[in-house]
Amino acid sequence: MINKDPKHKHTYDAQGRMTCCTQEEKIYSKAGASSLLKEGHSHDDGHDHDHEEGDGHDHSGGSQTTLQMFLPAIISLILLFAAIALDNWFPQSWFTGWVRIVWYAITYLPVGLPVIKEAVESIGKGEIFSEFLLMTIATIGAFAIGEYPEGVAVMLFYAVGEVFQTMAVKRAKANIKSLLDQRPDEVTILENNQAKTIKAADAKIGDIIQLKSGEKLGLDGELISETASFNTAALTGESKPDTKAKGETVLAGMINLNTVAQIKVTTAYTDSKLSKILEMVQNATAQKAPTELFIRKFAKIYTPIVVALAILICVLPMLFVDNYVFRDWLYRALVFLVISCPCALVISIPLGYFGGIGAASKNGILFKGSNFLDVIANIQNVVMDKTGTMTEGVFKVQEVVIKPEFNKDEILQMVNALESQSTHPVATAIHDFVGNINTEIKLNAVEEIAGHGLKAEVNGKELLVGNFKLMDKFSIKYDIDPASIVYTLIAIAYEKKFAGYLTIADSIKEDAQEAVDKLHSMNVKTTMLSGDKSNVVKFVADKLGIDNALAIYCQKIK
């Protein structure tokens, strides 16, 4: 293909097919989604994908409002209705001859001029037989034989169809972005011990990020604070918060749960694990389905044939038909051009796939490429995450076991009061279960023992709340096997005696069982992966009847 614009560089895929200067790219560019058409790499890989002004690509619609996109069509529609009214319903003596022609020409320009411009640019780039040329020939031909309303109407419908296509791509892009982009736009770094907020993309390797409680980490790094607890569910599926120690790796997308933490950046913004996930799905449309690949090849052969047949429809009857009238056969040829225009076929197929990816994203489903939309029809195995997919992703108290010699309500009130000193999600779950804190309970000598739990004095007696390592540390004897309990255990000791325990876990979603049953009814095997501990994963799988379950502790592998 000839490229007459020295500022524009054609792009090609691995098979040598041109990936720029197409109708598909134009639609995506108008929607501000041209990055989703890049094949094999993204804008983050260091290559220059920017088009200079005048490269023949229409980027003006990326930030246009719906009204701005429809405005040319609205203007043409109003003028067309007025012209039809003056032609048929309210005839005026002045609306004849050149006045009528000029009126229809002005009506045609808002919707026709952009298409004519695209046709000329396509010819300049060597792509002669484009859908733009077919629409231009058909509508200008209609003007040539005096069918002005039809010429305007055909181009008007085409323009409105393009706007709807652009809006569909915009919606799909928004759905994908809202589901995927877990990265914060800004981060707070320490510069000469002073907090400074910068764009996350501008952070450099070696910078120190200050992460407050509840904030999401923007880049991968190394924890330099002594300890910090993170919600990692978005990345690893861990239902239980992950407590990291100094020197351990923390990943972009993790949420800091308690005190202010400091992280040293070890990976560039574009190379973080979360960025790689984003890049993979943003490039999903590059993995074309067989139907898309076929339609592209088909259009290159089909369009010239349509033009040739239209010419034959116009001139060939001259040899066989008595009373041949050129105007009548030209009209029929133009009708054939309009109804045979491949634009709907060429655009609707990729747009349908991209719309499918966007609609799936809106419902929390990610497809790595449009080719997988075809594959899903013959799916035999479904692999799913646990946290947030089969479970709610929120901690709740599942069971309370208190020894009979203790007052259950009194023990729970004391535990609730003590846990109120912590920002850990387990403390939140206990508070949600027990209710309001009893302000009459006075806590003294409150102490947090890292990796174990909390210790305090209530009414001059020692209260311990934490894991069973805390019980061992203070030589509290207990008569249960913690390993036999599936859920997260919170052990309680009061007056140097084991008082009982609470189990806390993620709740299974109400519709999870129905979903698994439906898959089994279609002879689809189910597999669940989770970063949670193996006995929790097995318990959920057994309860739902899932065929296979794997606990994967390595975050990178998961």
Side-chain angles (χ1 to χ4, degrees):
M1 183 179 288
I2 299 171
N3 180 16
K4 294 186 178 180
D5 186 351
K7 293 182 179 180
H8 174 65
K9 292 182 180 179
H10 289 320
T11 56
Y12 302 85
D13 63 13
Q15 286 71 45
R17 296 187 297 267
M18 185 175 291
T19 59
C20 65
C21 308
T22 63
Q23 167 73 341
E24 184 181 357
E25 182 186 38
K26 182 172 78 70
I27 292 292
Y28 280 61
S29 296
K30 280 186 176 182
S34 55
S35 63
L36 300 177
L37 288 176
K38 302 302 178 187
E39 300 210 18
H41 58 282
S42 72
H43 289 158
D44 293 334
D45 65 358
H47 293 67
D48 183 11
H49 299 279
D50 295 332
H51 299 290
E52 299 292 339
E53 188 176 347
D55 67 355
H57 293 54
D58 183 4
H59 296 279
S60 61
S63 58
Q64 284 185 321
T65 64
T66 302
L67 178 61
Q68 287 174 324
M69 287 191 290
F70 275 108
L71 189 59
I74 292 171
I75 294 171
S76 288
L77 182 63
I78 293 171
L79 292 174
L80 178 62
F81 276 147
I84 291 173
L86 292 171
D87 270 341
N88 301 286
W89 306 322
F90 311 105
Q92 301 293 323
S93 59
W94 57 267
F95 194 67
T96 57
W98 284 106
V99 174
R100 182 170 180 267
I101 294 172
V102 170
W103 185 292
Y104 275 110
I106 293 172
T107 304
Y108 177 84
L109 286 178
V111 290
L113 197 59
V115 177
I116 295 173
K117 179 173 174 281
E118 293 283 358
V120 172
E121 289 175 351
S122 294
I123 293 170
K125 294 182 174 103
E127 190 178 349
I128 298 173
F129 296 104
S130 65
E131 58 270 21
F132 311 118
L133 180 65
L134 297 190
M135 295 302 298
T136 301
I137 293 172
T139 53
I140 291 179
F143 268 73
I145 61 176
E147 298 292 344
Y148 311 122
E150 292 190 27
V152 174
V154 166
M155 193 61 83
L156 177 61
F157 291 141
Y158 177 80
V160 170
E162 277 211 323
V163 173
F164 279 122
Q165 291 164 355
T166 301
M167 291 174 64
V169 171
K170 271 190 168 183
R171 282 195 301 270
K173 180 193 175 189
N175 290 337
I176 292 172
K177 186 175 180 181
S178 64
L179 178 66
L180 280 176
D181 203 349
Q182 304 286 332
R183 298 172 298 184
D185 294 327
E186 297 179 332
V187 294
T188 301
I189 64 168
L190 293 178
E191 205 171 78
N192 299 321
N193 290 324
Q194 295 294 318
K196 178 183 177 184
T197 301
I198 63 171
K199 290 184 177 180
D202 294 337
K204 302 179 183 65
I205 294 175
D207 283 349
I208 305 299
I209 294 177
Q210 181 174 276
L211 197 67
K212 297 177 183 176
S213 177
E215 287 185 338
K216 188 178 294 180
L217 183 59
L219 298 95
D220 294 354
E222 176 187 321
L223 183 66
I224 57 177
S225 299
E226 289 301 322
T227 59
S229 184
F230 294 92
N231 179 346
T232 65
L235 289 174
T236 66
E238 285 276 5
S239 59
K240 185 179 179 181
D242 190 4
T243 301
K244 299 286 188 181
K246 184 176 182 179
E248 288 193 77
T249 300
V250 287
L251 303 177
M254 291 183 176
I255 301 172
N256 185 20
L257 294 175
N258 40 36
T259 56
V260 175
Q262 292 184 358
I263 294 100
K264 181 180 179 182
V265 177
T266 57
T267 307
Y269 182 74
T270 54
D271 294 328
S272 69
K273 296 291 185 296
L274 189 56
S275 293
K276 295 301 181 185
I277 296 172
L278 289 170
E279 180 183 323
M280 177 185 72
V281 184
Q282 292 267 2
N283 290 333
T285 52
Q287 301 187 47
K288 304 296 180 186
T291 310
E292 288 183 87
L293 297 175
F294 168 76
I295 225 67
R296 283 184 173 185
K297 294 177 182 177
F298 174 75
K300 289 184 179 181
I301 301 170
Y302 172 81
T303 310
I305 291 174
V306 167
V307 175
L309 288 174
I311 294 171
L312 291 175
I313 288 171
C314 182
V315 300
L316 199 60
M318 186 188 305
L319 305 175
F320 306 103
V321 177
D322 295 332
N323 302 320
Y324 173 81
V325 180
F326 176 76
R327 184 186 180 283
D328 292 345
W329 286 98
L330 176 59
Y331 182 84
R332 289 167 183 154
L334 295 175
V335 170
F336 175 76
L337 269 183
V338 172
I339 64 175
S340 303
C341 182
C343 58
L345 195 62
V346 173
I347 292 301
S348 63
I349 299 299
L351 184 64
Y353 280 105
F354 185 70
I357 292 173
S361 300
K362 187 176 182 180
N363 290 283
I365 304 168
L366 297 181
F367 282 96
K368 289 176 65 178
S370 53
N371 51 327
F372 294 107
L373 283 171
D374 285 343
V375 173
I376 198 86
N378 300 312
I379 202 75
Q380 294 179 332
N381 292 276
V382 170
V383 180
M384 64 201 76
D385 189 23
K386 180 180 74 67
T387 306
T389 303
M390 307 312 291
T391 64
E392 298 288 352
V394 178
F395 275 115
K396 290 183 180 178
V397 174
Q398 302 294 322
E399 185 183 13
V400 177
V401 178
I402 302 296
K403 296 278 188 180
E405 58 264 34
F406 293 93
N407 184 307
K408 181 178 178 179
D409 290 338
E410 182 183 343
I411 291 293
L412 288 177
Q413 288 295 337
M414 288 191 292
V415 169
N416 191 28
L418 180 56
E419 287 289 350
S420 69
Q421 308 293 312
S422 172
T423 58
H424 197 282
V426 166
T428 304
I430 293 172
H431 176 68
D432 291 343
F433 178 78
V434 177
N436 294 330
I437 296 168
N438 187 345
T439 54
E440 294 181 1
I441 297 175
K442 303 299 180 185
L443 300 174
N444 297 307
V446 177
E447 180 185 353
E448 182 171 356
I449 302 170
H452 290 74
L454 296 168
K455 172 180 175 290
E457 285 187 8
V458 181
N459 301 324
K461 299 171 183 175
E462 186 180 73
L463 174 67
L464 300 173
V465 180
N467 54 33
F468 278 86
K469 288 190 292 183
L470 182 67
M471 302 293 108
D472 295 335
K473 182 178 179 68
F474 285 87
S475 303
I476 304 295
K477 294 182 180 180
Y478 46 88
D479 54 0
I480 68 162
D481 179 11
S484 66
I485 307 294
V486 172
Y487 298 131
T488 299
L489 285 169
I490 303 299
I492 306 165
Y494 187 55
E495 295 185 81
K496 300 289 185 180
K497 296 177 182 178
F498 180 63
Y501 62 89
L502 289 78
T503 60
I504 295 179
D506 201 355
S507 300
I508 294 174
K509 286 185 176 180
E510 291 182 2
D511 57 354
Q513 186 67 65
E514 181 185 356
V516 173
D517 291 343
K518 282 185 177 180
L519 288 171
H520 285 160
S521 69
M522 294 184 285
N523 295 319
V524 176
K525 291 185 178 180
T526 52
T527 299
M528 186 173 70
L529 304 180
S530 178
D532 217 332
K533 57 183 187 177
S534 57
N535 57 346
V536 174
V537 176
K538 185 177 184 303
F539 174 80
V540 174
D542 290 344
K543 190 166 185 177
L544 293 175
I546 292 171
D547 301 311
N548 301 297
L550 297 172
I552 300 176
Y553 296 102
C554 178
Q555 295 177 356
K556 185 176 180 180
I557 293 173
K558 189 163 188 292

